[in-house]
Amino acid sequence: MNKRQTRLFAGAATAVSALVFLVLTIDSHRQFGKLTNADNITPAVSRGKDIWHAKNCINCHTLFGEGAYYAPDLTKITQLRGNTYLEAFLRDPSKFYDEAKYRRVMPAQNLSDTEILDLIAFLDWVSKVDNQGWPPRPILVAGATIPGTDRTVAQQQSVAATSNTQAATAGSVSTADDPVALGQALFNSVSPSCNACHSIAPGVNMVGPSLAGVSARAQQIISSHAYKGQAKDVAGYIRESIHDPSAYVVTGASYSANGISFMPNTYGQSLKPEQLDYLAAYLGSLK
Amino acid sequence: MRYKSQSVAYWYFAAAMVLFGLQLVFGLLSATKYLGPDPLINLLPFDVTKVIHTNLLIVWVLTGFMGATYWLVPEESRTEIHSVKLAYIQLGLWLLMGVTAVIGYLFGYGAGNKLLEQPIPHKITIVVVMLMFLYNVGMTIKKSGRFTTTEGVLLLGLGSAALLYLPALLHYSNYTVSIYYRWWTIHLWVEGVWEMIQGGFLAYLLIRLTGADREVMEKWLYVIVGLVFIAGILGTAHHYYWVGVPAYWLPIGGIFSALEPVALVGMAIYAYSALRRSGLAHPNKLALHWTLGSAVFTLFGAGLLGFAHTFPSVNKWTHGTLITAMHGHAAFYGAYAMIVLAMIVYALPSITGRKEGGSAAGYWSFWLQLGGMFGMTLSFATAGIGQVYLERILGLGYLDTQLKIQVHFLMLIATASIFTVGVVLFIYDFFRHAPRFHLEPEDDDLKDRPTGNLRAETDPVKYG
Ligand code: HEM
Ligand code: HEM
Ligand SMILES: [Fe+2]
């Protein structure tokens, strides 16, 4: 090869690649609308995006996995947390995480209430973009434990035992129809997902309280004077806690404000009654 | 120094040195915040130190590119720079832009788009400065009538870098679309046109330092440029996997970005064989260290560590973790910091009148920086692997994971300190000798050889 030929090679290689790239770019533009639900980019979403930029959130957080690695990815945050929680967090993040424990916290961002709503609208739009299912499993902000180490062996056996007895009494019914197993699956898969806020390990309080031993606690709560809800039994209390979280709020500064629980109040609509039963069965089985 | 106007390069280099030092201050600040708790959380939080760290990096590297070009073009075209005054005005404007941008970040004023945080007035200034620069260099070459391939590749790289910055000036209402075009700037810079710039400097340095045959070196430079663009343009898609674009970008990104290391392997062989086959022993061995070091460290940081997470099946788990920071540091340092340092070390003896061989401080600086950066890369890598496994695969919370990898942050700070000592030595060595701009006669040994001489068999690939 002489110099003229190699120059030709460089020029042609660049031109062909650039051409293919441009054609694919045009095709991508054809599809952006549908993939990103561009129709849902309301003025609030646009404003939220501008605030996201103006406040430099990207230089601590990642969004779509891009940004800085000092703070958690927020791509699907609205699917892990409800609006009530996010509003309260963004108003005053210092109430939520203990710097002594985690060694890093989010500084106050001095956002107005409408700015907060706009940001949440933007983050909610982001969470619905069709991005090939990334992340492959939810990225939690805090909490959860390494699988297998979150409960003692005895606790794991007791759940397994409950499921087995129930499966056995139902005769031919497979575990797929076992309410406890179904409840456990729902616990990790509904949106916003329960396990993003609740651990089932004893003493591990995240955004919400640990649900280990909730049935024993429920018994005490419904028989106490402070309780004003409708539930008559443990299963009823758990169901009520899910579809109407503010009926009774567990004490703790980062759990509620003005009697309104930070747990999403959307499950009443988004879950079917039998799904509430499965969740109650599962949580009731945690001793 | 053979041309009086080459002295402008000194002031560009001096500015780059100061900004490089400042960049590290903000890098170290950011790294200590990983360990926390952060006493400065409300005064100088992480987002501010990090944006200043990365912006100073881009500004000093570009300052170095411009200075090195002002050094190289007079020699290649054998003429004085068209307008020395314009070159100084350009430097002043550029530094004004950089300094006010940093002050703005300190007060929370910026565009908040990763690596493109410059506010609009600053972005416009960047474009204006680039145009002044390209005009000045272009006129120099035009007046001289001598335009070498090395210059051509370098200038095309610089010109395209300016062009590719333009999409960053636009406003996009769809966040996904804005990400799409952010990569036209960032990716096509570092894995496209900046590699042309690196290639141009590399060719220049190798020709001067090893006496390799110009015709052969420039021929292979074209091959490298071709390989860079075959893989690099469509390789942009390795940033499109998870951001809301059509699914066909996944296989395209996987295939083409996996080919990107080919050009980097080519570049390393290019440098190595030039060295092996050369007959000339240039006294500036330290510059040779930096030149060869840049080619090799690029192969490691960009080629190997980029390849490590470029396939969609891997990137799915590593995307947006400290693994990216591992690669970002090693690649940026090897490809762009080291090539600028190589040009500086090459030019220094003639702009400051020190001896060619390089000082002890110079060698210490080289090895401490290399060792320090290697250690930093390992620290980010081990932290990143821990993060991917605990947070992404096992599902442990982000904050809990960060607590479990604290020891890697200690490693990071320790190795970054070694690196910083190396850089401080470099800066000290730079300023130790005052500039002394006196002209030397043309050195026959270093003059370009005509085409087709005896050394034409110095064919890097055939003998590589
Ligand atoms: C004293 C030495 C240094 C320290 C302690 C340091 C530390 C850091 C830290 C903590 C970050 C933030 C990562 C994050 O987003 O969480 C960062 C980002 C970055 N630094 Fe450095 N750095 C140093 C030197 C350098 C040098 C010499 C270069 C390049 C030549 C460099 C290039 C970068 C780049 C490109 C990023 C952005 C990486 C990404 O987002 O993936 N740094 N650095
Ligand atoms: C030549 C010099 C290179 C430099 C300076 C460089 C620098 C960087 C930087 C700074 C980032 C972070 C960008 C951001 O998130 O905004 C990045 C990301 C990335 N680079 Fe490179 N790179 C180079 C070459 C390569 C090569 C050759 C490959 C592949 C073979 C590669 C693969 C990647 C991948 C896959 C990512 C995305 C990481 C993620 O998913 O978070 N890079 N690079
Ligand atoms: Fe890239």
Side-chain angles (χ1 to χ4, degrees):
Chain A
M1 268 200 301
N2 62 28
K3 195 165 159 186
R4 213 178 59 87
Q5 288 165 324
T6 58
R7 178 168 35 188
L8 207 67
F9 163 74
T14 310
V16 171
S17 305
L19 188 69
V20 175
F21 191 54
L22 285 176
V23 170
L24 292 175
T25 295
I26 293 169
D27 184 69
S28 295
H29 270 283
R30 227 170 34 80
Q31 302 194 39
F32 279 144
K34 190 156 158 279
L35 289 165
T36 65
N37 310 306
D39 295 343
N40 297 345
I41 304 181
T42 57
V45 172
S46 288
R47 286 195 305 269
K49 173 178 162 289
D50 293 340
I51 300 162
W52 171 263
H53 286 306
K55 294 282 175 179
N56 207 19
C57 315
I58 198 76
N59 275 307
C60 281
H61 288 282
T62 51
L63 199 56
F64 291 117
E66 293 184 5
Y69 320 117
Y70 179 79
D73 184 81
L74 297 178
T75 311
K76 302 285 175 191
I77 193 71
T78 59
Q79 295 182 11
L80 299 175
R81 312 284 197 217
N83 285 12
T84 350
Y85 174 81
L86 288 176
E87 280 169 41
F89 177 83
L90 290 173
R91 201 164 292 130
D92 186 3
S94 68
K95 285 225 176 64
F96 289 80
Y97 294 89
D98 180 6
E99 187 168 20
K101 175 170 177 216
Y102 287 115
R103 308 183 70 92
R104 61 174 88 155
V105 286
M106 172 156 150
Q109 298 296 310
N110 308 319
L111 299 160
S112 73
D113 285 355
T114 44
E115 284 177 323
I116 290 176
L117 292 178
D118 293 343
L119 268 171
I120 295 174
F122 169 63
L123 291 172
D124 196 46
W125 171 79
V126 166
S127 79
K128 298 197 172 105
V129 167
D130 174 0
N131 69 336
Q132 325 295 341
W134 189 88
R137 74 173 289 166
I139 299 172
L140 305 181
V141 175
T145 36
I146 297 170
T149 65
D150 52 354
R151 282 167 296 154
T152 61
V153 176
Q155 284 170 329
Q156 292 181 31
Q157 277 164 355
S158 90
V159 174
T162 333
S163 333
N164 285 344
T165 6
Q166 285 178 355
T169 45
S172 61
V173 183
S174 70
T175 31
D177 296 317
D178 168 14
V180 173
L182 289 171
Q184 181 169 17
L186 284 171
F187 191 78
N188 298 319
S189 61
V190 297
S191 173
S193 133
C194 318
N195 69 341
C197 293
H198 291 289
S199 167
I200 50 165
V204 181
N205 297 322
M206 297 159 52
V207 166
S210 164
L211 295 180
V214 66
S215 51
R217 261 197 329 276
Q219 202 67 60
Q220 287 168 8
I221 290 168
I222 43 184
S223 49
S224 80
H225 295 303
Y227 181 68
K228 301 276 182 293
Q230 315 283 313
K232 301 281 176 282
D233 55 3
V234 171
Y237 171 80
I238 297 179
R239 274 199 308 271
E240 185 184 66
S241 296
I242 301 171
H243 67 69
D244 187 7
S246 302
Y248 173 83
V249 289
V250 179
T251 40
S254 64
Y255 290 160
S256 63
N258 312 321
I260 305 294
S261 167
F262 291 152
M263 175 157 153
N265 61 1
T266 50
Y267 297 119
Q269 294 100 57
S270 65
L271 299 182
K272 297 195 206 70
E274 65 269 24
Q275 290 180 311
L276 289 179
D277 291 337
Y278 298 149
L279 282 167
Y282 168 59
L283 295 178
S285 75
L286 300 173
K287 293 294 181 303
Chain B
M1 211 164 77
R2 271 170 257 165
Y3 300 92
K4 212 166 118 246
S5 53
Q6 278 181 301
S7 61
V8 295
Y10 178 84
W11 301 108
Y12 278 80
F13 292 156
M17 288 291 95
V18 174
L19 298 173
F20 187 15
L22 269 178
Q23 186 217 342
L24 298 193
V25 172
F26 286 91
L28 283 167
L29 272 172
S30 308
T32 42
K33 289 170 196 287
Y34 278 166
L35 277 179
D38 180 7
L40 300 177
I41 182 95
N42 292 315
L43 266 179
L44 196 61
F46 181 90
D47 63 305
V48 176
T49 57
K50 193 226 148 180
V51 65
I52 297 179
H53 175 61
T54 50
N55 274 257
L56 282 174
L57 166 69
I58 297 177
V59 175
W60 87 253
V61 165
L62 283 171
T63 314
F65 283 174
M66 293 189 288
T69 306
Y70 277 134
W71 172 266
L72 176 153
V73 165
E75 266 186 31
E76 289 283 296
S77 285
R78 300 192 186 145
T79 182
E80 297 289 351
I81 290 168
H82 169 66
S83 165
V84 173
K85 196 166 141 213
L86 187 62
Y88 283 124
I89 295 175
Q90 181 212 326
L91 177 63
L93 198 58
W94 177 250
L95 293 178
L96 188 71
M97 181 286 298
V99 169
T100 52
V102 167
I103 294 174
Y105 298 147
L106 285 171
F107 292 96
Y109 184 61
N113 195 9
K114 186 176 180 188
L115 299 174
L116 300 175
E117 292 92 351
Q118 309 79 31
I120 279 291
H122 293 74
K123 285 196 169 112
I124 293 169
T125 312
I126 291 173
V127 173
V128 170
V129 167
M130 287 304 280
L131 288 178
M132 285 164 75
F133 171 68
L134 291 168
Y135 167 80
N136 206 2
V137 173
M139 286 304 287
T140 307
I141 294 173
K142 185 160 172 253
K143 274 192 350 202
S144 82
R146 194 183 133 87
F147 188 32
T148 67
T149 298
T150 304
E151 275 177 334
V153 169
L154 179 64
L155 278 196
L156 209 61
L158 289 161
S160 320
L163 201 66
L164 285 169
Y165 187 67
L166 296 181
L169 283 129
L170 303 178
H171 180 269
Y172 307 91
S173 60
N174 187 326
Y175 196 74
T176 290
V177 178
S178 99
I179 291 180
Y180 190 90
Y181 288 105
R182 184 174 83 88
W183 291 114
W184 280 35
T185 306
I186 304 301
H187 169 95
L188 290 178
W189 267 4
V190 299
E191 287 156 71
V193 298
W194 283 25
E195 278 181 29
M196 284 178 90
I197 301 173
Q198 185 197 15
F201 289 141
L202 204 60
Y204 166 84
L205 286 165
L206 289 170
I207 291 168
R208 305 282 152 161
L209 289 169
T210 71
D213 180 69
R214 176 181 282 275
E215 212 45 26
V216 173
M217 292 311 278
E218 293 187 335
K219 178 172 100 181
W220 287 105
L221 183 57
Y222 278 132
V223 175
I224 290 173
V225 169
L227 291 174
V228 164
F229 286 114
I230 287 182
I233 293 180
L234 287 165
T236 313
H238 67 180
H239 303 290
Y240 290 167
Y241 298 154
W242 324 115
V243 299
V245 301
Y248 54 69
W249 287 113
L250 270 79
I252 293 177
I255 294 165
F256 285 92
S257 68
L259 291 174
E260 284 180 38
V262 173
L264 304 177
V265 171
M267 222 185 274
I269 295 176
Y270 180 72
Y272 185 69
S273 54
L275 182 74
R276 279 288 301 274
R277 309 282 307 168
S278 80
L280 176 85
H282 191 283
N284 196 340
K285 283 272 179 293
L286 186 57
L288 199 59
H289 274 67
W290 282 107
T291 307
L292 204 63
S294 173
V296 173
F297 215 89
T298 306
L299 182 56
F300 164 68
L304 189 73
L305 298 181
F307 185 80
H309 59 156
T310 206
F311 286 117
S313 55
V314 178
N315 193 261
K316 183 179 185 171
W317 301 101
T318 58
H319 182 48
T321 64
L322 291 160
I323 293 290
T324 310
M326 153 199 87
H327 155 70
H329 279 86
F332 232 110
Y333 180 71
Y336 305 121
M338 286 184 78
I339 198 71
V340 169
L341 301 182
M343 285 298 288
I344 293 179
V345 170
Y346 175 76
L348 267 192
S350 25
I351 355 185
T352 58
R354 67 186 72 196
K355 63 182 200 321
E356 285 277 2
S359 62
Y363 281 98
W364 272 102
S365 164
F366 177 80
W367 290 110
L368 285 172
Q369 284 191 40
L370 237 63
M373 184 47 81
F374 188 69
M376 286 169 62
T377 309
L378 285 185
S379 311
F380 274 123
T382 46
I385 293 166
Q387 183 185 5
V388 170
Y389 187 64
L390 294 171
E391 175 195 315
R392 299 297 170 87
I393 296 179
L394 292 183
L396 191 64
Y398 171 90
L399 289 170
D400 306 78
T401 302
Q402 296 292 316
L403 281 178
K404 292 205 190 305
I405 55 178
Q406 293 264 314
V407 62
H408 307 286
F409 299 144
L410 283 173
M411 268 169 66
L412 175 65
I413 292 172
T415 50
S417 307
I418 297 176
F419 177 79
T420 306
V421 172
V423 174
V424 169
L425 273 180
F426 193 98
I427 299 175
Y428 160 75
D429 203 39
F430 181 96
F431 288 108
R432 193 150 58 126
H433 300 271
R436 206 191 59 183
F437 307 124
H438 85 126
L439 298 184
E440 309 152 7
E442 285 261 1
D443 180 345
D444 270 345
D445 241 8
L446 298 177
K447 237 172 44 196
D448 313 315
R449 280 152 230 273
T451 324
N453 69 1
L454 286 173
R455 303 185 41 77
E457 85 275 12
T458 318
D459 181 326
V461 162
K462 209 153 77 198
Y463 293 91

